[in-house]
Amino acid sequence: MEEEANLSINMRRFLLIINCLLLSVGVCGGPLMMRLYFVEGGLRIWFNSWLQTGGWPLTIIPLVILYFYRRKTKGSDTKFYYTTPRIFIASFIIGVFTGVDAYLYSWGGSKLPVSTSSLLIAAQLAFTAIGAYFIVKLKFTSYSINAVVLLTLGAVLLGMRSNGDRPEGVTSKDYVIGFIMTLLAAALYGLILPCIELMYLKAKQAITATLVSEIQMVMCFASTAFCTIGMIANKDFQAISREAKHFNLGEGRYYIVVIWSAIIWQCFFVGAVGVIYLSSSLMSGVMISVLLPITEVLGVIFFDEKFSAEKGLSLFLSLWGFVSYFYGEFKQAKKLEKKKIQENEMTTTTQIEHV
């Protein structure tokens, strides 16, 4: 159908690495920029939610490049876009839920240290695995079950001493609500990832780089539209200039934080959707969870957050869960590769006998 209908193995691996790098920038940088905004005097939760997908126009750049590439290889009669009404509606609905998720995460991020919220978001892998099992019928293995259990235990462990790292100025009630909001954000996004994969499976057309970028743009546009409504209702647009003047780092740096927040979060969404396209929703969830401990350490370094024994044990359980999952995936890949080689040998033998 178009330029990416049948990617070679090497090209698929190359694109997967690129998307993993984009996802890494988003997972590690996004929470830090969010916390910087709130720590230095930012107060607008709806505005911060808007920033998570407000960089969607950046997606137009790769779409334009892909379009001219198609014109060069396919001729001037190539399609300008490939999104069907069915895919547009599905992408828009998922995008609205992404906006809800952004609000939940921003609310939690305004009350919790980066190191705590990152460990809670790591539980997303458990929700993604469960969602992938029911939504796209992805089979569980003993290793993936072990990973889900360990990550869940890590989140529970943090909850047992939920007030131990409460930031200054945050009440116990707000801290608990932030804790719950962040867990809800992890659960919701853990379900969103398999829904994106299901949309790919039910698309009834070739899933290409162009179509994936279009889906990404529609999702982020819908999320931004949802958050824009929240900003209007909360009168955030009128408050931005006042907030910038009172920002601890200065008015100019306020806008730098805002702009880079939008860019870094867009890297996250492009990378997440790209990894689903090139691998699976569970792989995307695993990548996010694997990078979160790095985000936690960066939070401790840049914001001088406390690293309690509970966080240390939770981090250990999370890393154990990641290793368990990856080992299981490695064994499964080896098993499939061996099976494929045996099938090819049997096919070759049968052909020789017929000759």
Side-chain angles (χ1 to χ4, degrees), residues 313-324:
L313 186 53
S314 180
L315 176 60
F316 170 74
L317 290 172
S318 297
L319 291 173
W320 185 5
F322 304 150
V323 171
S324 174

Side-chain angles (χ1 to χ4, degrees), residues 327-344:
Y327 182 69
E329 286 295 292
F330 175 76
K331 287 195 69 175
Q332 188 74 8
K334 283 290 184 182
K335 186 177 178 181
L336 290 173
E337 186 179 349
K338 186 177 180 181
K339 184 179 179 181
K340 190 174 181 180
I341 292 171
Q342 290 175 344
E343 288 175 351
N344 290 337

Side-chain angles (χ1 to χ4, degrees), residues 28 63 81 98 102 123 142 158 253 304:
C28 295
L63 282 173
Y81 63 90
T98 301
S142 58
L158 280 178
R253 290 182 179 178
D304 198 26

Side-chain angles (χ1 to χ4, degrees), residues 50-113:
W50 187 93
L51 290 174
Q52 291 183 41
T53 52
W56 66 266
L58 293 172
T59 315
I60 295 172
I61 297 172
L63 282 173
V64 170
I65 294 171
L66 287 169
Y67 173 70
F68 282 107
Y69 174 78
R70 291 198 308 277
R71 277 181 65 94
K72 183 180 178 181
T73 56
K74 303 287 184 180
S76 58
D77 59 342
T78 186
K79 286 185 178 181
F80 186 68
Y81 63 90
Y82 286 88
T83 302
T84 61
R86 188 163 170 263
I87 291 177
F88 179 86
I89 292 170
S91 302
F92 196 91
I93 293 171
I94 293 174
V96 171
F97 280 103
T98 301
V100 175
D101 183 77
Y103 179 76
L104 292 172
Y105 185 47
S106 290
W107 213 104
S110 68
K111 308 300 179 185
L112 301 180

Side-chain angles (χ1 to χ4, degrees), residues 45-349:
I45 294 175
W46 275 113
F47 178 46
N48 197 272
S49 307
W50 187 93
L51 290 174
Q52 291 183 41
T53 52
W56 66 266
L58 293 172
T59 315
I60 295 172
I61 297 172
L63 282 173
V64 170
I65 294 171
L66 287 169
Y67 173 70
F68 282 107
Y69 174 78
R70 291 198 308 277
R71 277 181 65 94
K72 183 180 178 181
T73 56
K74 303 287 184 180
S76 58
D77 59 342
T78 186
K79 286 185 178 181
F80 186 68
Y81 63 90
Y82 286 88
T83 302
T84 61
R86 188 163 170 263
I87 291 177
F88 179 86
I89 292 170
S91 302
F92 196 91
I93 293 171
I94 293 174
V96 171
F97 280 103
T98 301
V100 175
D101 183 77
Y103 179 76
L104 292 172
Y105 185 47
S106 290
W107 213 104
S110 68
K111 308 300 179 185
L112 301 180
V114 174
S115 52
T116 301
S117 61
S118 295
L119 283 170
L120 288 175
I121 290 293
Q124 174 187 297
L125 177 58
F127 295 111
T128 303
I130 294 168
Y133 176 77
F134 287 106
I135 296 172
V136 294
K137 310 302 180 185
L138 191 69
K139 292 182 179 180
F140 272 124
T141 66
S142 58
Y143 299 101
S144 60
I145 292 172
N146 186 50
V148 168
V149 171
L150 289 169
L151 288 165
T152 304
L153 284 174
V156 170
L157 184 65
L158 280 178
M160 290 173 65
R161 191 171 179 268
S162 59
N163 266 334
D165 62 346
R166 180 159 49 92
E168 187 178 344
V170 176
T171 65
S172 296
K173 181 182 177 181
D174 283 346
Y175 186 94
V176 171
I177 294 174
F179 194 95
I180 295 170
M181 289 285 208
T182 306
L183 269 182
L184 288 174
L188 181 55
Y189 202 71
L191 295 176
I192 286 172
L193 293 178
C195 286
I196 296 172
E197 185 175 0
L198 180 65
M199 179 169 55
Y200 290 168
L201 295 173
K202 300 290 185 179
K204 295 182 179 178
Q205 66 184 92
I207 303 300
T208 65
T210 297
L211 183 59
V212 168
S213 297
E214 290 173 359
I215 289 171
Q216 163 65 22
M217 187 172 68
V218 172
M219 284 173 52
C220 286
F221 171 77
S223 175
T224 305
F226 173 81
C227 293
T228 299
I229 295 171
M231 286 182 68
I232 293 171
N234 202 44
K235 298 181 179 179
D236 280 7
F237 286 105
Q238 298 93 314
I240 290 174
S241 58
R242 294 196 305 271
E243 188 173 76
K245 291 176 183 177
H246 294 93
F247 198 61
N248 295 340
L249 299 178
E251 187 174 358
R253 290 182 179 178
Y254 173 85
Y255 291 108
I256 291 174
V257 169
V258 165
I259 292 169
W260 275 105
S261 292
I263 294 172
I264 290 172
W265 278 120
Q266 197 58 31
C267 289
F268 168 81
F269 284 104
V270 170
V273 173
V275 171
I276 294 172
Y277 160 55
L278 295 162
S279 182
S280 69
S281 59
L282 190 55
M283 176 63 183
S284 186
V286 167
M287 276 298 302
I288 293 169
S289 298
V290 164
L291 292 164
L292 286 170
I294 299 173
T295 310
E296 178 194 359
V297 173
L298 291 174
V300 172
I301 294 171
F302 288 112
F303 297 109
D304 198 26
E305 296 176 355
K306 296 177 183 177
F307 192 80
S308 62
E310 289 83 358
K311 285 185 183 179
L313 186 53
S314 180
L315 176 60
F316 170 74
L317 290 172
S318 297
L319 291 173
W320 185 5
F322 304 150
V323 171
S324 174
Y325 175 81
F326 275 119
Y327 182 69
E329 286 295 292
F330 175 76
K331 287 195 69 175
Q332 188 74 8
K334 283 290 184 182
K335 186 177 178 181
L336 290 173
E337 186 179 349
K338 186 177 180 181
K339 184 179 179 181
K340 190 174 181 180
I341 292 171
Q342 290 175 344
E343 288 175 351
N344 290 337
E345 288 176 349
M346 288 178 65
T347 302
T348 305
T349 303

